[in-house]
Amino acid sequence: MAERCPADHVQDSCFGPENDISGPLHPSLTKSRSRTEVTKLVYIGGYGHSGSTLLEYLLAASPKVVAFGEVASVLRERGRKGKCTCGREVRLCPLWGPLLASAETLDGMTHERLARALVAQDGGAHAVLVDSSKTAWHSAAVPFSLARELGPDFRLVHLVRDPRAVSWSAVKKSGRRGTRPLMPLRSGSAALGWWVANLACERFGRLYPDRYLRVRYEDLARAPAETMRRLFAEILPGSEWRPGDIGGSGNRHQLYGNRMRSASLSLAEVKEDTGWTRDMPPAYRSLVTALTAPLRRRYGYD
Ligand SMILES: [Zn+2]
């Protein structure tokens, strides 16, 4: 069970419409709600291409969880059209629709205020909200401000993956987009980004050890049920993660993220992507191997 705030005394660390979300709000966010349940915000940190969409997908197997995808991308790109992963048009999504009904609603809104607005919009229906914005470059500082603002109800899940796999995935993505491969540059850039994103999480873990958890993509992909049960026990003590609930879309509202967010996946289909060990040219593999030591070894990637 999620912790609860005393009904007559909403603590600073509690979310909800009782909290200050200063500035103009969409009318749907100003209606009063009676909920007092504490909702935890789980932020997935780390670099891109590390399996955050898979982790978010598996977290959302629990009906206690609501997944919002990459919230930072919503703030950055605005004006999202098309469908939410809940299956509705964005404007009809009960969680994003009111927030994105007008271009002005997000004006001046910080990541922290948007997180609070989303939880207010959820109205206490879920015990855990997941934001998979990660900690690359412009988002590296976000977990720190969220932790300061939200207190003990914030958790950072630091997702790490072998930097050679990350780098190769980034190179392949640029190829799919039709841009010139520039492999040495892209490999090096991904290695640097991997450092920045992971060091941000490492620093967070030193500052807030009780709000920090680390998961390796390889462990998640090789033993998803076991890894998720362990993780879930830390995030929501007393709650059980059940693989049979995977794939329900009623609690997934991801506007941005890997294409997998829209797929239907069963636990048996979760497989580690090891294509880089076969396809990555040795020269670039050596380059990333050299650039990422010793942090790479800290996570067990020899
Ligand atoms: Zn939705």
Side-chain angles (χ1 to χ4, degrees):
M1 288 292 290
E3 302 162 65
R4 289 182 181 276
C5 291
D8 59 347
H9 174 67
V10 177
Q11 301 165 0
D12 288 342
S13 60
C14 291
F15 292 104
E18 305 88 347
N19 292 107
D20 174 34
I21 308 172
S22 55
L25 286 174
H26 187 273
S28 68
L29 295 180
T30 61
K31 63 189 176 195
S32 65
R33 293 178 190 275
S34 59
R35 48 77 56 190
T36 54
E37 185 173 29
V38 174
T39 303
K40 286 179 181 169
L41 175 63
V42 169
Y43 189 99
I44 301 176
Y47 195 56
H49 308 278
S50 296
S52 63
T53 305
L54 172 64
L55 175 57
E56 190 175 30
Y57 196 97
L58 294 175
L59 279 168
S62 168
K64 291 176 179 286
V65 172
V66 59
F68 283 110
E70 296 173 3
V71 173
S73 297
V74 177
L75 275 174
R76 196 167 51 245
E77 302 195 17
R78 311 285 181 93
R80 178 77 178 188
K81 302 254 185 334
K83 284 202 169 180
C84 175
T85 45
C86 67
R88 302 176 183 90
E89 296 290 328
V90 172
R91 63 190 170 84
L92 298 176
C93 169
L95 294 173
W96 282 114
L99 279 164
L100 301 181
S102 147
E104 290 80 46
T105 311
L106 296 183
D107 279 353
M109 195 174 264
T110 61
H111 199 123
E112 300 78 51
R113 282 183 57 206
L114 180 53
R116 282 179 177 271
L118 283 169
V119 181
Q121 192 70 7
D122 183 52
H126 301 90
V128 171
L129 181 156
V130 182
D131 177 347
S132 60
S133 295
K134 296 177 282 296
T135 44
W137 307 113
H138 43 263
S139 293
V142 170
F144 298 90
S145 49
L146 284 170
R148 279 194 298 274
E149 188 147 335
L150 307 180
D153 301 321
F154 180 80
R155 295 285 184 284
L156 175 71
V157 177
H158 178 193
L159 183 62
V160 295
R161 186 182 182 190
D162 191 310
R164 292 154 298 194
V166 167
S167 175
W168 184 238
S169 177
V171 168
K172 282 196 303 178
K173 183 178 178 183
S174 68
R176 283 196 302 273
R177 287 183 168 177
T179 48
R180 290 178 61 199
L182 297 172
M183 268 202 227
L185 192 64
R186 293 195 192 282
S187 299
S189 168
L192 181 60
W194 184 88
W195 267 100
V196 170
N198 288 300
L199 284 179
C201 291
E202 292 281 346
R203 177 159 173 68
F204 184 96
R206 280 197 288 278
L207 278 176
Y208 306 102
D210 55 333
R211 296 181 232 175
Y212 170 89
L213 301 158
R214 189 194 300 149
V215 175
R216 292 190 348 149
Y217 160 78
E218 292 79 5
D219 298 332
L220 181 67
R222 290 170 197 166
E226 185 187 340
T227 306
M228 288 306 300
R229 284 195 190 102
R230 270 208 312 269
L231 179 61
F232 215 68
E234 296 283 341
I235 293 171
L236 268 186
S239 283
E240 199 180 338
W241 183 87
R242 294 193 185 90
D245 297 330
I246 286 179
S249 59
N251 58 341
R252 290 190 291 116
H253 300 275
Q254 301 143 297
L255 303 188
Y256 292 91
N258 184 296
R259 282 174 300 172
M260 183 205 287
R261 74 184 192 279
S262 302
S264 180
L265 195 67
S266 70
L267 198 63
E269 292 171 303
V270 175
K271 295 274 186 295
E272 183 184 359
D273 178 0
T274 57
W276 69 276
T277 60
R278 180 189 63 237
D279 301 332
M280 190 175 193
Y284 304 126
R285 184 170 168 162
S286 299
L287 174 68
V288 177
T289 299
L291 288 174
T292 52
L295 190 56
R296 169 174 52 78
R297 294 198 187 95
R298 174 171 166 76
Y299 302 136
Y301 304 124
D302 295 326

